[in-house]
Amino acid sequence: MRRLPRLFTASPVFMALVVGGGSSLHAGESTQTLRDAAGERLLVGTAIMSHHLDDPPHAALIAEQFHCITAGNEMKPDALQRVQGQFTFDAADKIVAFAEAHGQTVIGHTLLWHHQAPRWMFEDEQGQPLPREQALENLRTHIHTVVGHFKGRVKGWDVVNEAIDDSEPYLRDTPALRAIGYDYVIKAFQFAHEADPDAELYYNDYNIERDYKRDKALRMIRELREAGVRLDAIGVQGHWLLGSPSLDEIDRGISAFLKQGISVMVTEMDVDPLPRNDAGADLSATERAGQNPYLDTFPDEMHHRLATRYDELFRLLLREPGVTRITLWGTTDAHSWLNNWPVRGRTNHALLFDRDFKPKPAFHAARNALHDANSPATSP
Ligand code: XIL
């Protein structure tokens, strides 16, 4: 309880979440970290930006709480090869070195995405698609160089991010698709495997667990398998809201993937408690105006709702042995991308630690669920 603000420790609701309510934790154990609570049951991770490591309390929290780290931006194509042929690895290298120094593994995010990607890779200066062979050569060079650079130091790669369209029958209309054709996803996986045969390879996307997109994700799994490429897990981003999607819908999605014999990783989890539309996590789905109701304080009632949602989500995910990682998309509320998406400049409260690096009731909910899953309660 040492680090909980007094407001929380005093509330019976939070006491129930922290020490009771189905949890087997005693008050004396409550400083246990997420990493320790999870043990070997699954990996718990966070996304960071390299400059977070210059802030000692932030770096300490990252080192202490998580098994693995995903680079929030530093391994995206525009960060690594903004100008053709000029690779810039410094920021990503700093993240990898930090992780290694703290016994953490690194997840690579991402080799191919239509956002945060340089145009030259698939388009000419007029914005027209490059000839297929040239686009493939650019993709091959990028993936071989990047995966080769981190060979043996990155455990697994989000090879392709968000290739599935929200409304079209299957793939999203992107520069890579226009230049290369429908097999561009398969090619990306082949190139990644060539560069590091030991690296795990993932397909990563938002809302693929949901009813409207799930069949397309199942098709992706099928086609990658038919092509004979390595595919270790399907990455469910997990940018969820307080009330949506329902636990049933998430369960249906995850069970459908697990039934294919593939592992599921929740790769970018957060729970947005601010009002916004429910259209997924498309970076271009910005909203011009939005309410910012918790600028000064996040009320007790909202802490409780957030903690309850984390509790339910973690317990759902932990029921399935095939769910092998949960990565939060950030550590503290101050550094969440949801402060700027879909509305710029809001004050969001979606993560497990507050702006003073203090664990929130949501932290205790997640940590207790991990603890319980890792050491099932035995009768006295
Ligand atoms: C976000 C980063 O966190 C932000 O800093 C950046 O401005 C935009 O991208 N889905 C993804 C992530 O796959 O790469 C995105 O990360 C969040 C949505």
Coordinates of all heavy atoms in Angstrom, one line a residue, residues 161-193:
N161 N 1.6 -4.4 -39.8 CA 0.6 -3.8 -38.9 C -0.6 -3.3 -39.7 O -0.4 -2.5 -40.7 CB 1.3 -2.6 -38.2 CG 0.7 -2.1 -36.9 OD1 0.0 -2.9 -36.2 ND2 0.8 -0.8 -36.6
E162 N -1.8 -3.7 -39.2 CA -3.0 -3.1 -39.7 C -3.2 -3.2 -41.2 O -3.6 -2.2 -41.9 CB -3.1 -1.6 -39.3 CG -3.0 -1.4 -37.8 CD -3.1 0.0 -37.3 OE1 -3.1 0.9 -38.2 OE2 -3.1 0.2 -36.1
A163 N -3.0 -4.3 -41.8 CA -3.2 -4.5 -43.3 C -4.7 -4.7 -43.6 O -5.1 -4.6 -44.7 CB -2.4 -5.7 -43.8
I164 N -5.5 -5.1 -42.6 CA -6.9 -5.5 -42.9 C -7.8 -4.3 -42.8 O -7.7 -3.5 -41.9 CB -7.3 -6.6 -41.8 CG1 -6.5 -7.8 -42.0 CG2 -8.8 -6.8 -42.0 CD1 -6.8 -8.9 -41.0
D165 N -8.6 -4.1 -43.8 CA -9.5 -3.0 -43.9 C -10.7 -3.1 -43.0 O -11.2 -4.2 -42.8 CB -9.9 -2.8 -45.4 CG -10.4 -1.4 -45.6 OD1 -9.6 -0.5 -45.9 OD2 -11.6 -1.1 -45.5
D166 N -11.2 -1.9 -42.5 CA -12.4 -2.0 -41.6 C -13.6 -2.3 -42.4 O -14.6 -2.9 -41.9 CB -12.5 -0.6 -40.9 CG -11.5 -0.6 -39.7 OD1 -11.7 -1.3 -38.8 OD2 -10.6 0.3 -39.8
S167 N -13.7 -1.8 -43.7 CA -14.9 -2.0 -44.4 C -14.8 -2.8 -45.7 O -15.7 -3.5 -46.1 CB -15.6 -0.7 -44.7 OG -14.7 0.3 -45.0
E168 N -13.6 -2.6 -46.4 CA -13.4 -3.4 -47.6 C -13.4 -4.9 -47.3 O -13.2 -5.3 -46.2 CB -12.1 -3.0 -48.3 CG -12.1 -1.6 -48.9 CD -13.1 -1.5 -50.0 OE1 -13.2 -2.3 -50.9 OE2 -13.9 -0.5 -49.9
P169 N -13.7 -5.7 -48.4 CA -13.7 -7.1 -48.1 C -12.5 -7.7 -47.4 O -12.6 -8.7 -46.7 CB -13.9 -7.8 -49.5 CG -14.3 -6.6 -50.4 CD -14.0 -5.3 -49.8
Y170 N -11.3 -7.2 -47.7 CA -10.2 -7.8 -47.1 C -9.1 -6.8 -46.8 O -9.1 -6.2 -45.7 CB -9.7 -9.0 -48.0 CG -8.5 -9.8 -47.4 CD1 -8.5 -10.1 -46.0 CD2 -7.5 -10.3 -48.2 CE1 -7.5 -10.8 -45.4 CE2 -6.5 -11.1 -47.6 CZ -6.5 -11.3 -46.2 OH -5.5 -12.1 -45.7
L171 N -8.1 -6.6 -47.7 CA -7.0 -5.8 -47.4 C -7.3 -4.3 -47.6 O -8.1 -3.9 -48.4 CB -5.8 -6.2 -48.2 CG -5.2 -7.5 -47.9 CD1 -3.9 -7.7 -48.7 CD2 -4.9 -7.8 -46.4
R172 N -6.6 -3.5 -46.8 CA -6.7 -2.0 -46.9 C -5.9 -1.5 -48.1 O -4.9 -2.1 -48.5 CB -6.0 -1.5 -45.6 CG -6.0 0.0 -45.3 CD -5.1 0.2 -44.2 NE -5.5 -0.3 -42.9 CZ -6.3 0.4 -42.1 NH1 -6.8 1.6 -42.4 NH2 -6.7 -0.1 -40.9
D173 N -6.4 -0.5 -48.7 CA -5.8 0.1 -49.9 C -4.6 1.0 -49.4 O -4.8 2.1 -48.9 CB -6.8 1.0 -50.6 CG -6.2 1.6 -51.9 OD1 -5.2 1.0 -52.4 OD2 -6.8 2.6 -52.4
T174 N -3.4 0.4 -49.6 CA -2.2 1.1 -49.1 C -1.2 1.2 -50.2 O -1.2 0.5 -51.2 CB -1.5 0.4 -47.9 OG1 -1.1 -0.9 -48.4 CG2 -2.5 0.2 -46.7
P175 N -0.2 2.1 -50.1 CA 0.9 2.2 -51.1 C 1.6 0.8 -51.3 O 1.9 0.5 -52.5 CB 1.9 3.2 -50.4 CG 1.0 4.1 -49.6 CD 0.0 3.2 -49.1
A176 N 1.8 0.0 -50.3 CA 2.4 -1.3 -50.5 C 1.5 -2.2 -51.3 O 2.0 -2.9 -52.2 CB 2.7 -1.9 -49.1
L177 N 0.2 -2.2 -51.1 CA -0.7 -3.0 -51.8 C -0.7 -2.6 -53.3 O -0.7 -3.4 -54.2 CB -2.1 -3.0 -51.2 CG -3.2 -3.7 -52.0 CD1 -3.0 -5.2 -51.8 CD2 -4.6 -3.3 -51.5
R178 N -0.8 -1.3 -53.5 CA -0.9 -0.8 -54.9 C 0.4 -1.1 -55.7 O 0.3 -1.4 -56.9 CB -1.1 0.8 -54.9 CG -2.5 1.1 -54.4 CD -2.9 2.6 -54.7 NE -2.2 3.5 -53.8 CZ -2.6 3.9 -52.6 NH1 -3.8 3.4 -52.2 NH2 -1.9 4.8 -51.9
A179 N 1.6 -1.0 -55.0 CA 2.8 -1.3 -55.8 C 3.1 -2.7 -55.9 O 3.6 -3.2 -57.0 CB 4.0 -0.6 -55.0
I180 N 2.9 -3.5 -54.9 CA 3.3 -4.9 -54.9 C 2.2 -5.9 -55.3 O 2.4 -6.9 -56.0 CB 3.9 -5.3 -53.5 CG1 5.2 -4.5 -53.3 CG2 4.3 -6.8 -53.5 CD1 5.8 -4.7 -51.9
G181 N 1.0 -5.6 -54.8 CA -0.1 -6.5 -55.0 C -0.4 -7.3 -53.7 O 0.2 -7.1 -52.7
Y182 N -1.4 -8.2 -53.8 CA -1.9 -8.8 -52.6 C -0.9 -9.7 -51.8 O -1.2 -9.9 -50.7 CB -3.2 -9.7 -53.0 CG -4.4 -8.9 -52.8 CD1 -4.8 -8.0 -53.8 CD2 -5.2 -9.1 -51.7 CE1 -6.0 -7.3 -53.6 CE2 -6.4 -8.4 -51.5 CZ -6.8 -7.4 -52.5 OH -7.9 -6.7 -52.3
D183 N 0.2 -10.1 -52.5 CA 1.1 -10.9 -51.7 C 2.1 -10.1 -50.9 O 3.1 -10.7 -50.4 CB 1.8 -11.9 -52.7 CG 2.6 -11.2 -53.7 OD1 2.4 -10.0 -53.9 OD2 3.5 -11.9 -54.4
Y184 N 1.9 -8.8 -50.8 CA 2.9 -8.0 -50.1 C 3.1 -8.5 -48.6 O 4.2 -8.4 -48.1 CB 2.7 -6.5 -50.2 CG 1.7 -5.9 -49.2 CD1 2.2 -5.4 -48.0 CD2 0.3 -5.9 -49.4 CE1 1.3 -4.9 -47.0 CE2 -0.5 -5.3 -48.5 CZ -0.1 -4.8 -47.3 OH -0.9 -4.3 -46.4
V185 N 2.0 -8.9 -48.0 CA 2.1 -9.3 -46.6 C 3.0 -10.6 -46.5 O 3.9 -10.7 -45.6 CB 0.7 -9.6 -46.0 CG1 0.8 -10.0 -44.6 CG2 -0.2 -8.3 -46.1
I186 N 2.7 -11.5 -47.4 CA 3.5 -12.8 -47.4 C 5.0 -12.5 -47.6 O 5.8 -13.0 -46.9 CB 2.9 -13.7 -48.5 CG1 1.6 -14.2 -48.1 CG2 3.9 -14.9 -48.8 CD1 0.8 -14.9 -49.2
K187 N 5.2 -11.6 -48.6 CA 6.6 -11.2 -48.9 C 7.3 -10.6 -47.6 O 8.4 -11.0 -47.3 CB 6.7 -10.2 -50.0 CG 6.2 -10.8 -51.3 CD 7.3 -11.7 -51.9 CE 6.9 -12.3 -53.2 NZ 7.7 -13.4 -53.6
A188 N 6.6 -9.8 -46.9 CA 7.2 -9.2 -45.7 C 7.6 -10.2 -44.7 O 8.7 -10.2 -44.1 CB 6.2 -8.2 -45.1
F189 N 6.7 -11.2 -44.5 CA 7.0 -12.3 -43.6 C 8.2 -13.1 -44.1 O 9.1 -13.5 -43.3 CB 5.8 -13.2 -43.4 CG 4.9 -12.7 -42.3 CD1 4.0 -11.7 -42.6 CD2 4.9 -13.2 -41.0 CE1 3.1 -11.2 -41.6 CE2 4.1 -12.8 -40.0 CZ 3.2 -11.8 -40.3
Q190 N 8.3 -13.4 -45.4 CA 9.4 -14.1 -45.9 C 10.7 -13.4 -45.7 O 11.7 -14.0 -45.3 CB 9.2 -14.4 -47.4 CG 8.2 -15.5 -47.7 CD 7.8 -15.6 -49.2 OE1 8.1 -14.7 -50.0 NE2 7.1 -16.7 -49.5
F191 N 10.7 -12.1 -46.0 CA 12.0 -11.3 -45.8 C 12.4 -11.3 -44.4 O 13.6 -11.4 -44.1 CB 11.8 -9.9 -46.3 CG 11.4 -9.8 -47.8 CD1 10.7 -8.7 -48.3 CD2 11.9 -10.7 -48.7 CE1 10.4 -8.5 -49.6 CE2 11.6 -10.6 -50.1 CZ 10.8 -9.5 -50.5
A192 N 11.5 -11.2 -43.5 CA 11.8 -11.1 -42.0 C 12.4 -12.5 -41.6 O 13.4 -12.5 -40.9 CB 10.6 -10.8 -41.2
H193 N 11.9 -13.5 -42.1 CA 12.4 -14.9 -41.7 C 13.8 -15.1 -42.3 O 14.6 -15.7 -41.6 CB 11.4 -15.9 -42.1 CG 11.7 -17.3 -41.6 ND1 11.8 -17.6 -40.3 CD2 12.1 -18.5 -42.3 CE1 12.2 -18.9 -40.1 NE2 12.3 -19.4 -41.3

